[in-house]
Amino acid sequence: MDVVVVGAGQAGLSSAHHLARAGIAHVVLDHAPRPGGAWQFRWPSLTYGKVHGMHALPGMELTGADPLRPSSEVISEYFAAYEDRFGLRVRRPVDVTAVRDGADGRLLVESGSGTWSARALINATGTWDRPFWPRYPGQEAFRGRQLHTANYPGPAEFAGARVIVVGGGTSAVQHLLEVSEVSAESTWVTRRPPVFRDGGFGEAEGRAAVALVEDRVRRGLPPQSVVSVTGLPLNEAVRGALASGVLARLPVFDRLTATGATWADGRRVEADAILWATGFRPAVDHLAPLRLREPGGGIRLDGTRAVRDERVHLVGYGPSASTIGANRAGGAAVREIHRLLTRAPAGTAADVSAAIGAGA
């Protein structure tokens, strides 16, 4: 193939759409069992109406969705319909294990289902497969249940339990709002005081937030999520939880014990479960043979292109790790790949740019 796309979430499907419009031969490999990207694994109580900023894929709007249905169902069905409408032949389940240098300047994309030879790669693997579990003293001694957002089952399993939720992002807030309705006691702990955003969040604010993430990526540092620099949105439910004390935050504990957590000042909280809403890291281990990482620990990008290897593009990584960002980055990656495949200088690929723009 000319191009292999790894991952069929928002970033992968957007990239495949633009590749198809540009007439570039490609294949999409996805390790998930069915369409839906990471959305198919979201907990049932995360309904579509609770989703923050789901942007439509290029060329096909998501309309008429019931806000009370689980987002895992709504978005998975939308992705499946999108693949069918645009003839995006996604091969699944395919687990990509490594990407290596091959002969004649090509890349070898190795998987449990065979090896593909490609002139370029679009990596759209996201973060869901790499949940981040921080380490604290005494963690192994805790006798209760420990879960991560990645395997959060919904609030019903915490009925009557004492729960500590760890993390300062939107997932932590959503978990607390749900768990507090069924648990005997919920406690929220974060490393830094949470910042709530009141008022609108327009295009200018969005650009500023993305620029902060993009700066880290350009310097070869591990990316922060776009959400981490925007603050937590205030809505009616959040305001009520702040007023009732559900979102009364404590600094993160110093250690865990068999029955809960303790702080250096003598505070103790007993717990039956700890829910780690501590985020995710980019799932890029399969790219290790290409040695793309910088000394700072991240993969330095120029746009979507890896600085250390012009054949590799990362979409949905760092500044494009949002639904609208993934759409735009998919088109940008395809324009760059077209120049690579044809060795055309910037500005001469007007036909491809027009085709991509028409489908955006």
Side-chain angles (χ1 to χ4, degrees), residues 307-318:
V307 170
R308 288 180 177 260
D309 194 326
E310 66 175 350
R311 301 169 296 178
V312 179
H313 288 256
L314 276 70
V315 178
Y317 177 91

Side-chain angles (χ1 to χ4, degrees), residues 59-248:
M60 179 176 161
E61 294 294 323
L62 197 175
T63 59
D66 183 349
L68 299 180
R69 288 187 67 202
S71 60
S72 58
E73 297 178 3
V74 171
I75 298 176
S76 291
E77 291 171 5
Y78 170 57
F79 281 14
Y82 189 85
E83 291 179 17
D84 182 63
R85 175 171 174 177
F86 292 104
L88 304 181
R89 292 176 299 228
V90 180
R91 301 193 182 207
R92 58 169 63 91
V94 176
D95 290 311
V96 172
T97 55
V99 181
R100 307 180 189 276
D101 275 314
D104 301 323
R106 299 177 74 87
L107 294 166
L108 295 180
V109 183
E110 300 175 357
S111 79
S113 302
T115 299
W116 279 262
S117 171
R119 298 172 68 189
L121 175 88
I122 294 180
N123 192 78
T125 47
T127 63
W128 187 260
D129 295 321
R130 282 203 63 201
F132 174 63
W133 292 75
R135 307 304 300 171
Y136 285 93
Q139 197 162 347
E140 294 77 11
F142 180 67
R143 294 198 298 258
R145 188 179 184 189
Q146 296 190 56
L147 304 94
H148 191 277
T149 293
N151 58 353
Y152 171 65
E157 293 191 24
F158 300 96
R162 299 163 298 178
V163 183
I164 297 175
V165 178
V166 186
T170 54
S171 292
V173 171
Q174 289 172 344
H175 296 336
L176 281 158
L177 294 179
E178 293 186 348
V179 168
S180 65
E181 296 180 358
V182 299
S183 72
E185 179 184 334
S186 61
T187 303
W188 186 24
V189 303
T190 68
R191 287 191 300 123
R192 292 182 294 271
V195 177
F196 290 93
R197 185 185 76 241
D198 198 0
F201 190 79
E203 188 173 342
E205 291 84 359
R207 281 204 208 97
V210 169
L212 290 173
V213 181
E214 191 171 33
D215 178 64
R216 289 180 59 86
V217 170
R218 283 180 173 168
R219 290 186 286 133
L221 299 174
Q224 294 174 308
S225 69
V226 174
V227 173
S228 72
V229 297
T230 62
L232 296 165
L234 274 171
N235 55 33
E236 185 176 344
V238 171
R239 291 180 193 278
L242 285 168
S244 68
V246 166
L247 294 181

Side-chain angles (χ1 to χ4, degrees), residues 5 7-22 26 28 34-37 39 54-63 73-90 92 323-324 326-331 334 355-360:
V5 180
Q10 184 98 14
L13 293 183
S14 171
S15 299
H17 173 84
H18 292 307
L19 286 166
R21 292 191 67 84
H26 65 281
V28 184
R34 55 192 178 276
W39 289 101
M54 170 63 196
H55 196 79
L57 284 159
M60 179 176 161
E61 294 294 323
L62 197 175
T63 59
E73 297 178 3
V74 171
I75 298 176
S76 291
E77 291 171 5
Y78 170 57
F79 281 14
Y82 189 85
E83 291 179 17
D84 182 63
R85 175 171 174 177
F86 292 104
L88 304 181
R89 292 176 299 228
V90 180
R92 58 169 63 91
T323 55
I324 188 169
N327 283 358
R328 292 171 176 168
V334 171
I356 292 171

